Amino acid sequence: MANSTNSFRTPLGRARGLGSAKHGAHHWLAYRVGAAGLAVLTILFIALVLSLIGASHEDVVLTFQKPYPVIVTILFLGFTFHHAAYGMQEVFEDYIHGKLAKLAAIALTKGLALVLFLLSAFAVLKIAFGA
Amino acid sequence: MTDTPAAKRQRPLSPHLQVYRLPLPALTSITHRITGIGLTVGTLLLVWWLVAAAVGPEAYATASGFIASPIGLILMFGWTAALWFHFFNGIRHLVWDGVKGLTLPQAYSSSNLVIGAAIGATVVTWVLAFAL
């Protein structure tokens, strides 16, 4: 990068900036932007949970029938399960060495994260719409 | 290179994890991973709580009863501590990604800062939890 005259990279390759993974820094950057968003949502969600400590079932239902708690909770769930799934992928990539075992662990975790997100978001929406 | 007399001498062993005391930045690094895995597993409790609230009062009583039980409270305390550690150390990672704070003395002081902030936030969360 610093000494481009000694580099084997072509000028076109440098200009595209996609590197050997062919995807550039998009995933790397997206994960960090998502993490920063999750940090904000975490504060909002913890505040919401603190306000519900010791609440009756009725109070919880009434809370999740208001727009703000529903939107914060579903956003928090979405960012959390996405962050968790990709975080676990990094852990599996580092510690599981069999190709098939690695693929299976990553696929199962991502599938499970998606199911858990849909389950919990559906639960919140079910309360919100009073079904 | 391998058959010179020097190579046959006792070579120093590289430090192994079991006998090597991890430096503080390494300790906070592995703790970030461990808390991340713990928080991922802990989402199951959150999903249970929300689904129980949607199912009805009896299911909600079971879920909130478990959370208020001694085992539930220990899990919640661990989850809170792990959350705040991962939260503050995650912010430290974002700062590092901005190519800031990467010298060794800064890595040590930010390790201490993260541990202190995590302990402080955990205490504040539980004080609020019992005060509210």
Side-chain angles (χ1 to χ4, degrees), chain A residues 12-13 20-21 24 30 43 45 57 77 83 94 102 111 113 116 118:
Chain A
L12 180 62
S20 58
I43 301 282
F45 184 71
H57 179 252
L77 290 168
H83 187 87
D94 284 355
K102 186 185 300 207
L116 289 173
L118 291 173

Side-chain angles (χ1 to χ4, degrees), chain B residues 77-124:
Chain B
F77 184 82
W79 193 78
T80 321
L83 178 75
W84 287 127
F85 179 86
H86 201 84
F87 179 93
F88 289 114
N89 203 52
I91 290 171
R92 181 162 77 136
H93 270 284
L94 291 177
V95 173
W96 280 338
D97 290 337
V99 205
K100 286 184 176 68
L102 287 167
T103 68
L104 201 52
Q106 285 172 319
Y108 270 92
S109 56
S110 60
S111 293
N112 285 316
L113 194 64
V114 162
I115 293 166
I119 292 171
T122 306
V123 169
V124 167

Side-chain angles (χ1 to χ4, degrees), chain B residues 15-53:
Chain B
H16 193 273
L17 275 179
Q18 282 144 326
V19 293
Y20 180 57
R21 199 165 71 97
L22 285 177
L24 196 55
L27 208 61
T28 51
S29 171
I30 193 62
T31 307
H32 194 71
R33 285 217 152 164
I34 293 166
T35 52
I37 295 166
L39 289 165
T40 302
V41 177
T43 57
L44 290 171
L45 198 62
L46 174 62
V47 174
W48 182 27
W49 179 65
L50 289 170
V51 169

